[in-house]
Amino acid sequence: MGLLRIMVPPKLQLLAVLAFGVAVLFLENQIQKLEESRGKLERAIARHEVREIEQRHTADGPRQDVTLDEEDDVVIIYNRVPKTASTSFTNIAYDLCAKNKYHVLHINTTKNNPVMSLQDQVRFVKNVTSWKEMKPGFYHGHVSYLDFAKFGVKKKPIYINVIRDPIERLVSYYYFLRFGDDYRPGLRRRKQGDKKTFDECVAAGGSDCAPEKLWLQIPFFCGHSSECWNVGSRWALEQAKYNLINEYFLVGVTEELEDFIMLLEAALPRFFRGATELYRTGKKSHLRKTTEKKLPTKETIAKLQQSEIWKMENEFYEFALEQFQFVRAHAVREKDGELYILAQNFFYEKIYPKSN
């Protein structure tokens, strides 16, 4: 190699380096175009599938004639927060949908934008509430909470979600953008090629690991108001807490995902019958794992914990965890290290007037 460097004139060496750089840029541009084309193709296929389903269901009569049993007139929305084991949980819904006879639909927003335009909010609410052919339905996607009552809907969907320790979630997302995961290992990620560790990023004051990046779980639960996305807003935190208690059927935590699934199976068997066993034994239960992830040092964690943003996100996480553990404590009993769902603990008596 040294001999070659001596023999090749400096100008030719420079030209070779420039040519190599241009080739790399060209390849990256082509890869980006292929990814954009793949996204367009996926959306076109999805639209075609929707039209096929609607045509199949309307072939024998008008759509308004479709009547649903009360048990089937149900919609669940899982507005999944990124990097909270959402793919692992969603895979269970996909695996069970044929057996339990419900539909699963992915809400694919442009560039994963969690805030819908006002016109898209109207379209989405109309789709979810009136698309009888897709009921019972399980919708999932990276979308912030949307209040259906604001649009005059009487029967609102059932919201569920899972959240995670805020620093662990950010670390996972940081490495995911650089190295991807074992779900689609060949897919090029936005920050691919950046070898800087999370610790190094925090030490250098990088933007990808800044405390502002922790602000995600609060706005996802807060919703579509502008103040929800105002980083560090105390109003947003309180609104997120309010929605978690009043608008969500159940919110679990990543660290106790199996218990979350067990409670869902007990409370909503129409969708989740068989989910606990599938999670324990199925091949997809822990399918998506971020690669090359390195745990942050105590010093890095301590530095992030000095931020008011972390304190607020952690307050919300602790609030959700306490609520989940409260629900679980009143729904299960532990025996020999195993959790068991409680049988029905109420009954009716003193029923009047007496029947003859």
Side-chain angles (χ1 to χ4, degrees):
M1 186 68 182
L3 181 62
L4 182 63
R5 190 177 293 115
I6 294 173
M7 294 175 62
V8 177
K11 289 184 178 180
L12 288 179
Q13 290 183 32
L14 179 60
L15 286 173
V17 171
L18 290 173
F20 177 75
V22 170
V24 169
L25 289 174
F26 175 77
L27 287 173
E28 289 183 345
N29 183 54
Q30 293 301 108
I31 291 171
Q32 181 65 29
K33 287 182 177 179
L34 285 172
E35 290 179 353
E36 291 175 356
S37 298
R38 180 178 62 83
K40 291 179 180 178
L41 179 61
E42 287 178 347
R43 288 191 289 272
I45 292 172
R47 287 193 293 267
H48 177 70
E49 289 176 343
V50 168
R51 284 194 296 269
E52 279 193 336
I53 291 169
E54 290 180 332
Q55 290 170 3
R56 188 162 61 246
H57 282 281
T58 57
D60 298 326
R63 290 175 58 182
Q64 56 266 31
D65 290 341
V66 177
T67 56
L68 294 172
D69 294 334
E70 185 176 356
E71 187 182 44
D72 290 339
D73 191 15
V74 179
V75 169
I76 292 176
I77 295 181
Y78 172 34
N79 64 315
R80 44 196 282 199
V81 179
K83 304 313 295 176
T84 57
S86 61
T87 298
S88 298
F89 176 61
T90 304
N91 279 334
I92 292 175
Y94 276 110
D95 286 347
L96 291 175
C97 65
K99 178 181 177 182
N100 290 347
K101 294 182 172 53
Y102 62 87
H103 298 88
V104 180
L105 301 91
H106 178 217
I107 311 162
N108 190 341
T109 59
T110 303
K111 296 183 179 179
N112 284 328
N113 185 356
V115 178
M116 289 182 172
S117 66
L118 184 61
Q119 57 270 32
D120 275 347
Q121 292 177 42
V122 174
R123 295 185 187 108
F124 179 62
V125 170
K126 183 178 179 181
N127 291 155
V128 169
T129 54
S130 63
W131 199 1
K132 294 182 179 180
E133 292 83 4
M134 289 295 105
K135 291 182 180 180
F138 180 96
Y139 291 75
H140 68 96
H142 297 312
V143 181
S144 59
Y145 169 76
L146 184 62
D147 183 8
F148 277 57
K150 187 169 69 173
F151 299 86
V153 174
K154 294 181 180 179
K155 186 171 183 179
K156 297 195 292 186
I158 297 173
Y159 267 93
I160 62 172
N161 216 326
V162 178
I163 69 171
R164 187 176 184 178
D165 175 277
I167 291 180
E168 290 183 4
R169 194 207 64 78
L170 179 59
V171 171
S172 182
Y173 188 63
Y174 177 88
Y175 285 106
F176 172 75
L177 291 180
R178 286 152 178 78
F179 302 101
D181 53 32
D182 54 2
Y183 185 57
R184 289 186 290 179
L187 185 62
R188 183 177 178 83
R189 300 298 174 179
R190 180 151 47 95
K191 295 287 185 175
Q192 186 169 322
D194 181 4
K195 305 294 184 181
K196 186 182 296 182
T197 67
F198 187 81
D199 288 326
E200 292 169 343
C201 178
V202 171
S207 59
D208 284 349
C209 55
E212 289 76 12
K213 295 294 184 181
L214 292 166
W215 190 260
L216 190 67
Q217 298 185 130
I218 288 174
F220 256 73
F221 280 79
C222 179
H224 277 70
S225 300
S226 62
E227 187 65 17
C228 295
W229 299 88
N230 184 4
V231 178
S233 167
R234 172 59 58 174
W235 180 89
L237 170 60
E238 296 305 321
Q239 185 64 37
K241 288 181 178 180
Y242 176 88
N243 288 342
L244 186 148
I245 294 297
N246 295 282
E247 304 296 343
Y248 280 79
F249 179 77
L250 183 66
V251 176
V253 293
T254 304
E255 296 79 5
E256 299 175 13
L257 188 61
E258 182 177 328
D259 294 353
F260 171 71
I261 293 170
M262 181 187 296
L263 292 176
L264 284 177
E265 180 174 359
L268 299 172
R270 178 66 181 81
F271 287 84
F272 298 105
R273 185 179 290 108
T276 306
E277 184 64 22
L278 182 61
Y279 178 81
R280 290 171 176 170
T281 62
K283 294 180 180 179
K284 293 184 179 180
S285 61
H286 299 285
L287 180 59
R288 193 166 191 168
K289 294 182 179 179
T290 304
T291 57
E292 301 290 334
K293 184 169 65 176
K294 297 178 181 178
L295 297 178
T297 63
K298 293 180 180 179
E299 291 76 16
T300 295
I301 294 173
K303 188 172 183 178
L304 287 174
Q305 289 177 342
Q306 294 174 6
S307 163
E308 290 299 319
I309 299 170
W310 173 82
K311 292 176 183 177
M312 295 177 72
E313 276 280 346
N314 191 65
E315 180 180 334
F316 180 65
Y317 170 75
E318 294 289 346
F319 179 83
L321 177 61
E322 181 181 0
Q323 174 65 14
F324 174 71
Q325 291 176 341
F326 177 84
V327 172
R328 182 180 59 188
H330 288 79
V332 303
R333 286 292 178 268
E334 184 175 352
K335 182 179 179 182
D336 299 327
E338 294 287 336
L339 293 181
Y340 296 90
I341 294 292
L342 289 175
Q344 182 170 314
N345 270 338
F346 74 93
F347 61 93
Y348 303 103
E349 62 177 2
K350 300 178 181 179
I351 303 172
Y352 288 86
K354 298 291 186 180
S355 58
N356 295 328

